[in-house]
Amino acid sequence: MPEAPTDTPGGPQLLVPEVDDESAGFWEATARDVLAIQACEACGALRHPPRPMCPHCNSTDRGWREVSGRGTVWSYVVAHPPLLPTYAALAPYNVIVVALVEDPTIRLVGNLVVEEGGAPDEIDPAGIVIGESVEAVFERRGELHLPQWVRA
């Protein structure tokens, strides 16, 4: 469940994810501008979203593994109104799904931007290519640093 909207520097109030016990390691890493994915300590399998038990071996021993932050565009959508008023002001904007190079079954969501701190509506969605290489950058939103993506 999202937390209350948060002002971004020079920008509108946007929703931020809720941090819980399982996701805290992910957000602690992004605060250092690093991507970390939950990993099973028993079998080594990566998993996202984070959860208490490994779906491969049923172990509850878990930790965090830093990953490269590189991936490929697996899919994307273009958001158009009607949206929440703050988001309608940004539309149309892209939301991409990125398959990580370490494990393409691990997929993260964010916006494709020109550079770190870029706006979600600054790239023409018609130019997004499924399979293109991207790398993570981080946008500070309130107390969190959200992964965004730039072309690699």
Side-chain angles (χ1 to χ4, degrees), residues 6-67:
T6 302
D7 283 327
T8 57
Q13 284 193 325
L14 301 173
L15 297 174
V16 295
E18 185 174 327
V19 178
D20 60 19
D21 290 342
E22 288 303 321
S23 68
F26 178 83
W27 298 114
E28 289 165 6
T30 64
R32 301 187 321 270
D33 292 341
V34 170
L35 278 182
I37 301 298
Q38 193 179 59
C40 177
E41 298 290 353
C43 72
L46 296 175
R47 61 182 185 247
H48 191 83
R51 50 195 174 272
M53 182 178 287
C54 178
H56 304 286
C57 73
N58 296 330
S59 173
T60 57
D61 295 331
R62 56 201 182 276
W64 292 92
R65 184 173 307 152
E66 289 186 11
V67 294

Side-chain angles (χ1 to χ4, degrees), residues 45-102:
L46 296 175
R47 61 182 185 247
H48 191 83
R51 50 195 174 272
M53 182 178 287
C54 178
H56 304 286
C57 73
N58 296 330
S59 173
T60 57
D61 295 331
R62 56 201 182 276
W64 292 92
R65 184 173 307 152
E66 289 186 11
V67 294
S68 67
R70 293 175 303 147
T72 57
V73 176
W74 185 78
S75 185
Y76 70 96
V77 298
V78 179
H80 296 276
L83 300 163
L84 295 171
T86 298
Y87 291 91
L90 294 171
Y93 62 90
N94 72 76
V95 179
I96 65 172
V97 180
V98 174
L100 296 182
V101 297
E102 287 82 2

